[in-house]
Amino acid sequence: QVQLVESGGGLVQAGGSLRLSCTASGNIFSIDAMGWYRQTPGKQRELVALATGSSTTNYADSVKGRFTISRDNAKNTVTLQMNSLKPEDTAVYYCNAQRVRTKYILYDNWGQGTQVTVSS
């Protein structure tokens, strides 16, 4: 069993910044990739940013240059620094951990989500 606990969401004005953090807990040996997705009502969940174990990062085109993802493999944490926020960044943000190795391999794991609201 793996738990992902997110923190850092909230309300911010356009142009402002927020920092999201996520910590994975459980009897974890390793995690292949950790990242952030977001979802708005009526739309599919979309990738925001992903960081692999080899430090490769991927970003959605809409956030490139504004958001930065970082991982601490020793602490099983992932952080998303969001700058120059826009109203269209408003969504529920979900932490994701892929191929988590415990006694088993847990392939796709999600946090409970944290609301980010950007006012214009």
Side-chain angles (χ1 to χ4, degrees):
Q1 187 90 13
V2 171
Q3 288 188 325
L4 301 178
V5 178
E6 301 134 334
S7 62
L11 173 64
V12 65
Q13 287 188 331
S17 298
L18 282 174
R19 186 180 180 89
L20 305 183
S21 295
C22 173
T23 299
S25 62
N27 193 14
I28 298 171
F29 297 129
S30 64
I31 303 175
D32 276 11
M34 295 187 77
W36 294 91
Y37 289 70
R38 66 187 182 189
Q39 189 170 23
T40 54
K43 293 189 177 181
Q44 285 192 330
R45 195 170 294 186
E46 64 175 5
L47 173 69
V48 177
L50 191 69
T52 69
S54 61
S55 301
T56 300
T57 56
N58 294 307
Y59 294 94
D61 288 342
S62 60
V63 307
K64 284 180 180 177
R66 300 188 296 122
F67 291 10
T68 302
I69 189 170
S70 59
R71 277 184 69 177
D72 185 331
N73 294 328
K75 296 181 179 179
N76 294 324
T77 61
V78 62
T79 300
L80 185 68
Q81 178 65 43
M82 305 185 293
N83 298 328
S84 303
L85 282 160
K86 304 176 181 179
E88 50 263 44
D89 294 318
T90 296
V92 177
Y93 283 70
Y94 294 91
C95 178
N96 174 261
Q98 300 177 8
R99 291 182 64 87
V100 178
R101 287 174 176 79
T102 62
K103 179 180 180 181
Y104 308 100
I105 298 177
L106 307 174
Y107 285 93
D108 205 17
N109 306 272
W110 295 94
Q112 79 283 359
T114 185
Q115 177 70 46
V116 171
T117 302
V118 184
S119 63
S120 57

